[in-house]
């Protein structure tokens, strides 16, 4: 019995020593977990993420940290905001129509150029750089949507460059009898640069190598009735985030190469 008691005491002592050694005196937390937590805390304190909040069309946005009330500025409506110190936190973002501009209605939130939510109020966990865009569309007196154009924030292309790409797209789209284009939106410089190799793979042998590429996203409404027959579209249907790929050489004219879903 004496030997058994000694063994039990030694085992308990050994277990206590291992627990203290493995967690530096904090039972249940490994040194690796503590290191990760410290890194996350450091990243949070340093704000290593930038959230951009913008509008497309005419409308307003407001935001607040989790637990705080979102408040719109009635005197100076906000269309754009930057949050640079919220890594690891949840922020609330809300959109509303601008009462000064009748006809513009909130449609959806896009995140990094892709549809994210149709709710006016969204709560997002900040885990990296991101751009949220509140999309507003104008509804005319006849109930038809007016084409919305979004030029983004390009450093590589001017508005004239992007307009030229829009024009090339519409020249093709106008041949789609009965279809209605609702939105054209520039993606971003990184997406366009990454698309150059793909565009060069599509060029004809007689074409010089392309030096610039541009990717445009669109929303459109497909034809209905007889106009839809023989097309690839479901009749009378909204299509969103439909991409168009164009390229050019040394600042020349854009060539529309392909379009569709990735």
């Amino acid at each position: 019995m004496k030997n058994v008691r000694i063994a039990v005491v030694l085992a308990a002592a050994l277990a206590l020593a291992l627990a203290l050694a493995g967690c530096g005196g904090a039972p249940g937390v490994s040194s690796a977990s503590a290191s990760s937590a410290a890194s996350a805390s450091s990243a949070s304190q340093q704000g290593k993420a930038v959230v951009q909040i913008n509008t497309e069309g005419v409308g307003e946005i407001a935001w607040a940290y989790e637990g705080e009330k979102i408040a719109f500025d009635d005197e100076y409506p906000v269309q754009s905001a930057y949050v640079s110190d919220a890594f690891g936190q949840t922020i609330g973002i809300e959109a509303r129509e601008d009462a000064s501009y009748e006809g513009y209605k909130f449609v959806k939130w896009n995140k990094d150029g892709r549809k994210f939510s149709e709710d006016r109020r969204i709560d997002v966990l900040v885990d990296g750089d991101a751009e949220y865009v509140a999309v507003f569309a104008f509804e005319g007196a006849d109930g038809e949507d007016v084409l919305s154009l979004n030029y983004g924030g390009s450093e590589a292309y001017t508005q004239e460059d992007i307009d030229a790409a829009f024009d090339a797209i519409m020249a093709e789209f106008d041949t789609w009898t009965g279809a209605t284009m609702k939105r054209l939106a520039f993606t971003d410089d990184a997406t366009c640069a990454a698309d150059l190799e793909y565009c060069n793979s599509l060029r004809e042998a007689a074409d010089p190598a392309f030096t610039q590429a541009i990717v445009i996203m669109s929303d459109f409404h497909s034809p209905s009735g007889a106009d839809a027959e023989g097309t690839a579209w479901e009749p009378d249907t909204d299509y969103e985030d439909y991409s168009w790929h164009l390229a050019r050489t040394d600042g020349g004219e854009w060539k529309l190469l392909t379009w569709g879903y990735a």
Side-chain angles (χ1 to χ4, degrees):
M1 291 296 292
K2 183 176 182 180
N3 290 339
V4 172
R5 291 194 186 99
I6 291 173
V8 171
V9 171
L10 289 174
L14 178 60
L16 178 59
L18 288 173
L20 292 175
C23 63
V29 181
S30 70
S31 58
S33 298
S35 176
S36 297
S39 296
S41 175
S42 176
S44 177
Q45 292 173 3
Q46 295 176 26
K48 292 184 178 179
V50 175
V51 176
Q52 301 179 53
I53 311 169
N54 292 310
T55 57
E56 175 184 319
V58 180
E60 305 173 26
I61 56 96
W63 71 276
Y65 291 107
E66 184 176 21
E68 297 180 357
K69 183 179 179 180
I70 294 177
F72 288 90
D73 191 328
D74 294 328
E75 185 175 1
Y76 300 103
V78 177
Q79 283 81 37
S80 181
Y82 287 81
V83 185
S84 59
D85 58 353
F87 188 91
Q89 300 188 55
T90 297
I91 61 173
I93 310 173
E94 191 170 343
R96 75 175 184 181
E97 287 87 5
D98 187 331
S100 302
Y101 295 87
E102 294 183 3
Y104 277 93
K105 304 297 182 183
F106 171 77
V107 177
K108 62 181 177 179
W109 282 99
N110 283 342
K111 177 184 179 182
D112 297 332
R114 300 284 184 177
K115 182 178 179 180
F116 181 75
S117 175
E118 293 183 357
D119 297 329
R120 291 175 180 271
R121 160 70 184 264
I122 56 176
D123 294 296
V124 298
L125 174 63
V126 181
D127 57 3
D129 293 346
E131 181 188 29
Y132 294 89
V133 177
V135 179
F136 298 85
F138 182 83
E139 188 175 273
D142 57 2
E144 294 184 357
D145 290 335
V146 174
L147 176 60
S148 173
L149 302 178
N150 181 4
Y151 295 91
S154 177
E155 295 182 0
Y157 301 122
T158 65
Q159 181 172 327
E160 289 73 20
D161 292 328
I162 298 172
D163 271 331
F166 288 166
D167 290 343
I169 291 168
M170 291 306 299
E172 165 62 30
F173 188 82
D174 285 343
T175 67
W176 299 7
T177 304
T180 302
M181 184 66 79
K182 300 172 68 175
R183 178 182 73 104
L184 289 172
F186 175 77
T187 50
D188 57 73
D189 290 342
T191 298
C192 295
D195 204 55
L196 181 58
E197 182 177 358
Y198 172 63
C199 288
N200 269 307
S201 73
L202 300 176
R203 68 184 175 91
E204 299 176 0
D207 288 335
F210 297 126
T211 58
Q212 292 178 304
I214 193 167
V215 182
I216 304 297
M217 304 302 293
S218 68
D219 299 341
F220 67 90
H221 192 83
S222 66
S224 58
D227 289 334
E229 296 178 5
T231 71
W233 318 118
E234 291 291 330
D236 198 26
T237 300
D238 284 326
Y239 285 82
E240 298 182 339
D241 295 328
Y242 189 85
S243 64
W244 303 76
H245 303 258
L246 306 89
R248 67 184 184 182
T249 302
D250 299 332
E253 293 186 0
W254 291 114
K255 183 171 184 177
L256 179 59
L257 298 170
T258 189
W259 51 88
Y261 286 111

